[in-house]
Amino acid sequence: MPEARLISVNVGKPREVGFRDGAVLTGIFKTLVAGRVAVHKLNLAGDRQADLTVHGGADKAVYCYPAEHYPHWAEELPGTELPYGMFGENLTTQVLDEASVYIGDRFRIGSAVPRVTQLRTPCYKLGIKFGRSDMVEKFRSSGRSGFYFSVIEEGELGAGDGIERVAIGPGAGERTRGFAARRRC
């Protein structure tokens, strides 16, 4: 089995975007970062969440999305540009996905130690990002959600870093699938 690896690191700060007859604040627009990035308890350096009632916080400090899901979306959304970070993820990974991790697993990525806390539940802002009203349902029904990390040990990481599992979560018999709580944002 190939080694799990960090493919890209993506950050962004909240910005206003048009929605219906007004505007909303969102942090879903991420940009690729070159070099090492500091990992803090509540986010990565240069990254912020817009609505802390449903995004961010200690249990959703960093969002991880598998690179292996991108080919599915390229087929599902022909003609859509899909750079890493398109789904609002902070970390795009290789080999680390929903089927290979458990809630509570801890990993070492660079000098940081994050812990898997939950699957992502998409909100309407994903539809805004893609310019598609059906995107949230497509994402939800695909089973390709990605997952959130809390930060156990702050440090730094960068694209190309290996990802090492350093502890298996207490619920090791249950995969992350099905753990997502439905919440609106």
Side-chain angles (χ1 to χ4, degrees):
M1 174 181 234
E3 177 184 353
R5 187 155 299 289
L6 182 58
I7 301 300
S8 75
V9 180
N10 314 286
V11 300
K13 294 193 176 162
R15 64 180 178 179
E16 275 194 5
V17 296
F19 181 65
R20 297 193 177 141
D21 293 333
V24 295
L25 195 61
T26 180
I28 198 169
F29 293 87
K30 305 294 183 193
T31 303
L32 178 70
V33 177
R36 311 298 293 167
V37 177
V39 179
H40 303 292
K41 287 287 184 185
L42 298 178
N43 51 35
L44 301 180
D47 192 63
R48 299 289 178 274
Q49 299 87 13
D51 182 353
L52 294 176
T53 64
V54 290
H55 297 294
D59 285 338
K60 297 182 196 175
V62 178
Y63 175 44
C64 177
Y65 198 71
E68 290 83 356
H69 294 341
Y70 274 81
H72 165 82
W73 293 112
E75 197 171 298
E76 182 76 21
L77 307 168
T80 302
E81 209 172 309
L82 296 171
Y84 291 137
M86 185 66 175
F87 294 91
E89 77 266 21
N90 300 112
L91 308 179
T92 314
T93 60
Q94 181 178 15
V95 181
L96 191 66
D97 63 18
E98 302 90 345
S100 66
V101 301
Y102 302 101
I103 300 296
D105 280 2
R106 293 180 186 204
F107 296 90
R108 180 164 305 282
I109 309 172
S111 60
V113 177
R115 179 177 58 89
V116 177
T117 56
Q118 62 187 283
L119 291 175
R120 176 196 189 173
T121 301
C123 74
Y124 72 96
K125 292 175 183 175
L126 185 66
I128 293 171
K129 173 95 185 269
F130 279 84
R132 298 181 61 115
S133 61
D134 64 344
M135 190 59 197
V136 172
E137 187 49 41
K138 281 183 176 296
F139 188 84
R140 186 178 289 129
S141 65
S142 78
R144 293 168 173 84
S145 64
F147 46 89
Y148 285 106
F149 285 131
S150 63
V151 177
I152 303 303
E153 291 180 29
E154 294 181 328
E156 65 175 27
L157 49 72
D161 285 351
I163 301 173
E164 174 191 7
R165 188 185 324 256
V166 295
I168 295 175
E174 300 193 44
R175 299 282 182 192
T176 53
R177 261 185 222 289
F179 276 81
R182 293 191 179 240
R183 297 181 73 178
R184 66 176 191 83
C185 68

